[in-house]
Amino acid sequence: MSENTIVILGNGISGVTCARHIRKNNPNITITIVSAETRHFFSRTALMYIYMGHMKYEHTKPYADDFWEKNDIKLLFGWVKAIDFSNQELNFEDGEVVSYKQLVLATGSKPNMFGWPGQDLNGVQGLYSYQDLLNMEKNTQDIQHAVLVGGGLIGVEMAEMLASRKIPVTFLVREKGFWDNILPKEEAALVGRHIREHHIDLKLDTELKEIIGDEKGQVKAVKTSHGEIINCQFVGLTAGVSPNIALFKNSDLNTNRGILVDDQFRTNLPNVYAIGDCAEFNKPPGKDRKNIEQVWYTGRMHGETLAHNLTHEKKVGYTPGIWFNSAKFFDIEYQTYGHVPPTWENPTRSFYWESASGKVALRFLFDQEDRILGMNAFGWRMRHEFFDRAIKEGWKADRVIGQLDKANFNPEFHKKFYKQLLDKYNSENGTSIPLPRQSFIQKLIGSRSWNRT
Amino acid sequence: MKLLQNSGLVLFIIGLLVFTGIPFSGSYQLDRTMVRDHTKEMHQDAMLEVLEPIYEKTYASNFSFIKDFNDFFNAYNEELKEEQAWDKVIWDDYAFALTKAASSGPVEDAPLLFLALSIGLAVLGGLLYTLPLYRNKPAGIKHDGIYFSSMKARGWLGIITGTYLIVFYIILYWYPEYLTNLVIMVDPLSILLSGGPASQWFLYGLIYTLAILVMGVRMFRKYKGNNYQTIRTASVMFFQLAFAFLIPEILVLFNMPWHDFKNIWPLDYSFFYEYRIEGMVSSGALGMFMLIWGIILIVIGVPVFTYFYGKRWYCSWVCGCGGLAETVGDPYRQLSDKSLKAWQVERYLVHGVLVLAVVMTAVTITNYFMEFGMLEQATNQFHSIYGFAIGSAFAGVIGTGFYPFMGNRVWCRFGCPLAAYLGLVQRFKSRFRITTNGGQCISCGNCSTYCEMGIDVRWYAQRGQNIVRSSCVGCGVCSAVCPRGVLKLENGQEAGRINDMPIIIGNESIKVKS
Ligand SMILES: Cc1cc2nc3c(=O)[nH]c(=O)nc-3n(C[C@H](O)[C@H](O)[C@H](O)COP(=O)(O)OP(=O)(O)OC[C@H]3O[C@@H](n4cnc5c(N)ncnc54)[C@H](O)[C@@H]3O)c2cc1C
Ligand code: SF4
Ligand code: SF4
């Protein structure tokens, strides 16, 4: 049995960030990270690129393999089968026992399975872990058709992955518009069009009824809610993820959908914390925020904040700033800042602009006092710093729209849409915001960068 | 479309095979007039005598001809060296000129036909292959399957390609006499442009330029919709075609020294060599302009442009080596080594070469003004060592031959003294940086993987830090491939450019310093 001060279960972004920052703040604490997925931390968000041949697994590792030793962070590769919270011990599958003084649970998520008939057939899988990726590689060898179920971000990624191997895909999505539980109607339509542009057979408003197998237990078709039978040799289940807490189900640890924590990531048990995808706040960490945050950036911020608390006398509560997120739908990049729900009511006001090609779009939401609440950007990169500040400070609509040149983060020489957007805004709002002009010299010495002052 | 592309591939391969076979064709016969025409007067009598045994003999291949030539020539020199008759030893290399003169056969009879069948077919095939690329596909990143590709991920195709290039460079630099038929083949073109017959360098320049043009077209297809990529590719295509290829040849037509106006010392390491200086000084106003322009580029052009735009203005917009790397080399960009170790080696090597070039040039200039005193020996030694090790072996053989093994910027990264100079300016006094977009990085690794300079871009991006690195050539590919729009190449105020202790936006609990 080995003695450890801090043990972190899970080597994803949240656990690893926590470990790195503990080490930064304190050179002496012994830190051990445990995982059974991969020996070293890799970027889960890059799984798709391995399958598509853009990168190899080793490229997805954010830190070189000697980083951990250099920083004196122990890595333990093994599966924890039970945790003895009263004796403060982790029991590994291979019989090893590891004790801890403080335990950080960062076990991540697992794909949702809604008990569909046939979901355990061969060739049916979700995509979350590195093992899932290896399975997908095996399961998609020499297949003629694939079906994806559930339209979220991982679903689009899987569609893009399969398309990169020229495997025809049917994409079943329950909603009437793609990802329209998150995206407003126009954006959902934009994404839907682009998915179809990539020859994906997107079937909206369609649910999975049943997965049909052959006599060898291999998937051979699916049946949809409209009774249609679609032959396929692979089914990707991408109807969201939920916290990976099976390990704690019959323990003293309080769980709901995730591991319940307060704003300092403390669970109901002393010296046990939870961060990242697996954690569920007992109350939302901020206005318009959810109790479970399952994205990369929040995992990172949880890790940073907990590391601070574990190494400082004066504890802080987790206070996330302005929400942001991003994704990519095939070739169209998406960024969002602040709060943009799929629908809104008066007095919230929206301004939406879309390019003629239907591939570039911006949406802004303003409150009754005309202050910006949030924005969505498609195919137009925006400066995080700009919107973080504008939303935090509640900039008025005209000010935001009038300074978009400063928010622009597209590469130099990129096609400019600002004038089109301004024309639309001015004519809808009866304003006359001018297009900011650059002097010849400014043009000559190149793009301007925006500095927070 | 597939059919068109496949026939393009077939044509390219046929062209390449013909090109490779041409040196083996024809027969070789030397006579006295040829020797007289192609040797310096001081060597004529000796050469005429030395080569006596091979006159009127017909050789069926260049191998046997060159072997005999070398045997007799070397025997003559060896003897003199043994007698320590240094002043009589013939240091000039006549192998190329005489082999070229002695050659006859189908290529000499119909050079244009062979030009069409070799380089012509390869170019046509290349265009047929590249022009339809990604047709009917939406603009976006086209990296599918790169790591499954034998050509692009060090598979056997890559190894063959690299080996072919290495062998080609070795022959070109040190055994050009074996390439004489290819040079004869491009003679008509050379005469058309410069009025004189071709050298192996004309052949090389022609292939180099065509390669940049064809693969530049591929870049247009691949980066459709990314104007930064298209414009800078057009720029390197233009500079190669006009400044490195056409203008120098036309200068020769007007009895001016061959001069590439965009090549800058110390990349153009022979700029201050005696023969170059003399050539410029003795060529009237235009020659003077060459000299002054060259010096202005070094002392004003580099610092000023690099201050405003970063070294990219040269490395990925103008430079010929950069031009080849960014077009022909683009399929290999992901093969650069990103390890810390490689970065350490890079810093020693590239700055070492810069120091070497500066010292060599200092010696050369001192020697020039001391009017060839005792420094002459040292200068010549220096020139030949530098020319061999850096100018040929490093820049050529390793620089290009290693594309399929170590990525497309091996020379630019580890060897180019001008890149080192530009890099120093970029690092310490420039408005250029790659801005990291707040907290948006998801550490996916695309940027680092596709950085041809081996910069671990992600290391900076994931901690919210701007990328300010002397080696960055501003190719913009990290920005293009980033799936989250995290990276932007920009020129701006110097304040805030380097943020060593970045604060990642998004977490208000604590001020996170990465
Ligand atoms: C394909 C895909 C793409 C994504 N893309 C994005 C994106 O673009 N942007 C974004 O913001 N988010 C994205 N996400 C979500 C994001 O990756 C997650 O929110 C984040 O990785 C969660 O990190 P974590 O540290 O909480 O947990 P995880 O990264 O899941 O790490 C948990 C680790 O703990 C290990 N573990 C669990 N239980 C045990 C045990 N009992 N014993 C040993 N080890 C154990 C697991 O094996 C795993 O390695 C994506 C997710 C996926 C699957
Ligand atoms: S950092 Fe980016 S712009 Fe600079 S060389 Fe690397 S890929 Fe090109
Ligand atoms: S490509 Fe973009 S998201 Fe990926 S690691 Fe680089 S900066 Fe981060």
Side-chain angles (χ1 to χ4, degrees):
Chain A
M1 196 175 99
S2 53
E3 286 270 334
N4 284 286
T5 314
I6 297 182
V7 173
I8 299 172
L9 179 54
N11 68 347
I13 178 68
S14 59
V16 159
T17 308
C18 186
R20 278 179 43 241
H21 284 265
I22 293 172
R23 179 54 77 237
K24 253 181 224 196
N25 298 337
N26 183 325
N28 302 318
I29 304 184
T30 59
I31 309 171
T32 304
I33 307 181
V34 178
S35 172
E37 188 179 5
T38 52
R39 201 165 283 280
H40 298 103
F41 170 47
F42 78 103
S43 178
R44 192 172 301 298
T45 53
L47 276 175
M48 61 183 296
Y49 299 110
I50 303 176
Y51 184 88
M52 289 160 63
H54 293 205
M55 287 191 274
K56 293 211 231 183
Y57 164 69
E58 68 229 38
H59 300 117
T60 66
K61 290 189 275 192
Y63 302 96
D65 289 353
D66 60 3
F67 175 86
W68 309 101
E69 207 185 305
K70 276 192 202 155
N71 286 280
D72 197 18
I73 295 172
K74 260 192 281 176
L75 302 179
L76 243 177
F77 186 61
W79 180 254
V80 173
K81 71 164 199 277
I83 301 178
D84 182 345
F85 288 111
S86 47
N87 289 318
Q88 312 215 135
E89 284 171 1
L90 304 178
N91 297 308
F92 284 74
E93 209 169 35
D94 62 2
E96 201 183 338
V97 177
V98 169
S99 74
Y100 62 83
K101 293 215 177 73
Q102 283 174 312
L103 177 65
V104 178
L105 301 172
T107 55
S109 304
K110 55 177 186 25
N112 285 334
M113 299 282 166
F114 290 118
W116 288 293
Q119 70 181 22
D120 297 321
L121 287 164
N122 287 330
V124 181
Q125 67 166 103
L127 177 66
Y128 189 81
S129 66
Y130 185 62
Q131 284 69 30
D132 291 337
L133 183 79
L134 298 180
N135 285 336
M136 183 167 168
E137 184 68 54
K138 255 197 339 253
N139 288 337
T140 54
Q141 291 298 320
D142 306 315
I143 63 168
Q144 280 81 51
H145 201 92
V147 170
L148 298 176
V149 181
L153 296 177
I154 298 178
V156 192
E157 291 191 358
M158 256 181 144
E160 189 175 351
M161 291 159 79
L162 292 161
S164 80
R165 302 264 183 114
K166 310 216 160 35
I167 298 169
V169 178
T170 303
F171 200 170
L172 309 184
V173 174
R174 189 184 53 186
E175 292 78 25
K176 292 201 166 53
F178 190 84
W179 212 35
D180 70 0
N181 48 341
I182 304 284
L183 295 180
K185 210 168 82 219
E186 288 82 358
E187 286 95 313
L190 179 153
V191 175
R193 280 196 309 270
H194 186 58
I195 291 175
R196 290 193 169 119
E197 188 184 0
H198 278 276
H199 312 292
I200 305 293
D201 178 20
L202 177 62
K203 290 189 190 300
L204 295 171
D205 201 7
T206 306
E207 281 182 73
L208 173 67
K209 267 269 140 352
E210 184 187 348
I211 308 175
I212 306 163
D214 63 11
E215 54 291 346
K216 285 187 244 127
Q218 187 74 32
V219 56
K220 65 170 193 194
V222 297
K223 188 171 172 188
T224 71
S225 51
H226 303 303
E228 191 185 354
I229 307 263
I230 303 167
N231 290 331
C232 62
Q233 298 77 40
F234 176 82
V235 175
L237 300 176
T238 58
V241 295
S242 43
N244 177 15
I245 54 167
L247 189 61
F248 320 111
K249 265 304 174 208
N250 299 306
S251 71
D252 296 338
L253 192 68
N254 274 354
T255 58
N256 178 35
R257 280 174 54 219
I259 302 167
L260 286 166
V261 295
D262 66 7
D263 70 339
Q264 295 181 18
F265 304 100
R266 292 180 295 203
T267 66
N268 64 311
L269 300 175
N271 300 322
V272 180
Y273 306 85
I275 51 174
D277 277 23
C278 67
E280 176 175 349
F281 296 102
N282 46 28
K283 48 177 194 297
K287 187 173 161 280
D288 300 323
R289 303 287 285 222
K290 302 209 167 59
N291 292 28
I292 303 185
E293 300 183 318
Q294 289 162 306
V295 292
W296 185 263
Y297 322 96
T298 52
R300 195 191 73 222
M301 298 192 287
H302 294 180
E304 292 161 358
T305 313
L306 178 60
H308 176 93
N309 285 351
L310 291 176
T311 49
H312 288 81
E313 279 305 313
K314 198 166 168 291
K315 316 288 181 204
V316 298
Y318 173 58
T319 333
I322 301 299
W323 171 259
F324 65 96
N325 197 9
S326 57
K328 195 171 179 186
F329 304 95
F330 284 85
D331 304 313
I332 299 184
E333 288 170 22
Y334 154 68
Q335 296 181 335
T336 184
Y337 299 102
H339 185 58
V340 184
T343 55
W344 51 87
E345 268 156 32
N346 272 333
T348 296
R349 176 170 79 86
S350 151
F351 170 66
Y352 180 78
W353 167 87
E354 189 176 292
S355 70
S357 68
K359 287 191 181 192
V360 185
L362 295 185
R363 152 111 46 212
F364 300 84
L365 286 190
F366 304 103
D367 68 9
Q368 73 268 39
E369 278 157 60
D370 230 18
R371 289 181 307 223
I372 180 168
L373 294 169
M375 68 95 58
N376 283 341
F378 286 80
W380 188 337
R381 294 176 174 179
M382 287 292 169
R383 216 176 274 272
H384 186 177
E385 227 177 341
F386 180 94
F387 283 105
D388 187 65
R389 180 171 162 195
I391 296 168
K392 211 182 289 167
E393 296 177 358
W395 288 14
K396 292 280 170 72
D398 290 2
R399 178 169 176 206
V400 174
I401 301 288
Q403 295 197 16
L404 276 188
D405 58 325
K406 299 205 172 77
N408 176 33
F409 206 72
N410 276 334
E412 294 150 301
F413 304 111
H414 200 278
K415 190 162 181 205
K416 298 201 171 33
F417 294 106
Y418 192 19
K419 185 167 181 314
Q420 281 185 30
L421 178 137
L422 266 185
D423 288 347
K424 178 156 196 254
Y425 183 87
N426 283 335
S427 75
E428 274 178 23
N429 296 282
T431 49
S432 49
I433 301 170
L435 190 69
R437 294 256 171 243
Q438 276 195 318
S439 70
F440 175 71
I441 293 290
Q442 281 171 328
K443 274 189 192 141
L444 194 69
I445 64 173
S447 62
R448 239 179 321 166
S449 88
W450 186 72
N451 272 353
R452 184 188 277 250
T453 37
Chain B
M1 261 330 119
K2 262 277 70 77
L3 188 74
L4 206 61
Q5 282 192 294
N6 286 338
S7 33
L9 267 185
V10 171
L11 290 184
F12 177 81
I13 291 166
I14 295 176
L16 191 67
L17 288 176
V18 173
F19 181 84
T20 315
I22 283 177
F24 300 101
S25 71
S27 60
Y28 298 80
Q29 194 179 23
L30 192 71
D31 63 35
R32 285 185 182 76
T33 16
M34 292 173 187
V35 179
R36 232 173 262 128
D37 287 351
H38 293 280
T39 50
K40 291 187 189 156
E41 224 177 295
M42 56 190 282
H43 297 144
Q44 252 174 31
D45 292 341
M47 286 302 281
L48 278 168
E49 200 185 311
V50 170
L51 297 173
E52 190 67 52
I54 64 175
Y55 298 143
E56 317 309 333
K57 229 168 122 179
T58 308
Y59 293 85
S61 81
N62 53 359
F63 288 97
S64 48
F65 176 81
I66 293 166
K67 183 175 176 305
D68 268 10
F69 175 90
N70 284 341
D71 284 351
F72 292 112
F73 183 74
N74 291 342
Y76 171 78
N77 267 349
E78 286 309 315
E79 209 178 292
L80 291 171
K81 282 182 195 167
E82 231 146 76
E83 293 164 13
Q84 311 231 341
W86 299 114
D87 51 334
K88 288 200 185 137
V89 175
I90 300 179
W91 298 106
D92 290 62
D93 186 357
Y94 289 120
F96 174 78
L98 291 178
T99 311
K100 189 177 173 205
S103 170
S104 61
V107 180
E108 206 192 4
D109 297 339
L112 289 177
L113 174 69
F114 281 88
L115 184 62
L117 287 177
S118 58
I119 296 176
L121 276 192
V123 168
L124 179 69
L127 287 175
L128 283 180
Y129 182 77
T130 49
L131 275 172
L133 274 176
Y134 314 116
R135 219 165 150 256
N136 303 325
K137 295 231 171 90
I141 294 308
K142 306 286 183 252
H143 283 168
D144 289 351
I146 285 195
Y147 274 97
F148 311 137
S149 153
S150 166
M151 187 58 143
K152 299 171 192 168
R154 302 194 186 102
W156 60 272
L157 271 179
I159 295 175
I160 291 179
T161 309
T163 314
Y164 186 96
L165 286 172
I166 290 171
V167 172
F168 176 76
Y169 272 94
I170 291 177
I171 300 177
L172 175 75
Y173 282 119
W174 295 298
Y175 307 102
E177 54 273 23
Y178 291 94
L179 298 179
T180 44
N181 280 337
L182 290 170
V183 178
I184 290 170
M185 171 178 93
V186 295
D187 264 344
L189 206 58
S190 174
I191 291 167
L192 187 76
L193 285 172
S194 69
S199 66
Q200 73 267 37
W201 303 121
F202 179 81
L203 169 73
Y204 179 50
L206 175 71
I207 303 173
Y208 197 104
T209 307
L210 290 171
I212 288 183
L213 294 181
V214 173
M215 290 298 275
V217 171
R218 172 184 167 279
M219 290 294 280
F220 293 152
R221 301 300 304 164
K222 180 175 167 187
Y223 289 102
K224 180 172 65 172
N226 185 329
N227 292 347
Y228 183 75
Q229 296 302 330
T230 1
I231 297 174
R232 84 181 169 87
T233 302
S235 169
V236 291
M237 289 163 80
F238 166 76
F239 278 104
Q240 175 61 31
L241 179 64
F243 280 68
F245 187 65
L246 294 178
I247 296 177
E249 295 300 331
I250 292 168
L251 283 174
V252 175
L253 183 66
F254 290 100
N255 283 323
M256 292 280 162
W258 194 101
H259 194 85
D260 177 352
F261 283 96
K262 63 155 184 45
N263 205 355
I264 306 179
W265 177 91
L267 173 60
D268 182 9
Y269 59 90
S270 62
F271 185 79
F272 292 102
Y273 283 13
E274 190 212 338
Y275 79 92
R276 294 274 305 271
I277 301 275
E278 306 264 275
M280 292 186 274
V281 173
S282 62
S283 299
L286 188 60
M288 245 8 240
F289 173 72
M290 288 174 187
L291 185 62
I292 293 167
W293 171 248
I295 292 171
I296 288 179
L297 279 180
I298 300 164
V299 296
I300 301 176
V302 167
V304 168
F305 280 120
T306 309
Y307 172 71
F308 283 112
Y309 304 109
K311 81 199 253 185
R312 53 181 174 157
W313 77 269
Y314 194 74
C315 296
S316 55
W317 285 74
V318 173
C319 180
C321 303
L324 192 74
E326 293 296 344
T327 50
V328 178
D330 179 73
Y332 304 109
R333 55 185 324 122
Q334 66 283 355
L335 301 176
S336 60
D337 189 341
K338 318 301 188 299
S339 67
L340 215 55
K341 185 102 211 124
W343 185 13
Q344 281 157 356
V345 173
E346 164 195 318
R347 280 184 294 182
Y348 279 109
L349 259 179
V350 78
H351 295 117
V353 174
L354 175 61
V355 170
L356 191 67
V358 170
V359 171
M360 177 186 76
T361 305
V363 172
T364 309
I365 294 176
T366 322
N367 175 39
Y368 186 77
F369 287 112
M370 282 173 63
E371 306 207 329
F372 318 116
M374 61 201 198
L375 269 176
E376 177 156 15
Q377 196 66 23
T379 311
N380 290 340
Q381 283 287 335
F382 235 138
H383 287 182
S384 68
I385 293 173
Y386 192 95
F388 174 83
I390 310 294
S392 310
F394 207 155
V397 181
I398 298 177
T400 309
F402 277 42
Y403 275 11
F405 305 121
M406 287 175 65
N408 53 335
R409 286 275 192 177
V410 180
W411 160 249
C412 314
R413 182 182 176 196
F414 295 102
C416 177
L418 178 57
Y421 172 28
L422 288 154
L424 288 172
V425 182
Q426 165 158 297
R427 175 68 185 75
F428 296 107
K429 193 69 192 165
S430 173
R431 291 163 54 87
F432 171 71
R433 89 292 311 269
I434 301 176
T435 303
T436 286
N437 202 9
Q440 288 281 23
C441 174
I442 53 168
S443 299
C444 70
N446 274 296
C447 51
S448 296
T449 305
Y450 287 93
C451 175
E452 54 190 355
M453 295 306 281
I455 297 172
D456 191 356
V457 183
R458 166 174 57 193
W459 172 265
Y460 303 86
Q462 66 191 359
R463 45 205 306 264
Q465 186 177 2
N466 292 347
I467 295 103
V468 178
R469 277 278 292 268
S470 56
S471 61
C472 170
V473 292
C475 65
V477 170
C478 53
S479 160
V481 298
C482 174
R484 296 295 178 270
V486 178
L487 305 164
K488 178 167 164 65
L489 283 69
E490 37 182 18
N491 317 312
Q493 305 107 294
E494 284 176 83
R497 182 174 83 112
I498 300 177
N499 49 348
D500 281 333
M501 297 290 269
I503 294 172
I504 309 189
I505 306 174
N507 192 352
E508 305 279 314
S509 334
I510 37 166
K511 280 291 155 222
V512 180
K513 302 214 158 135
S514 273

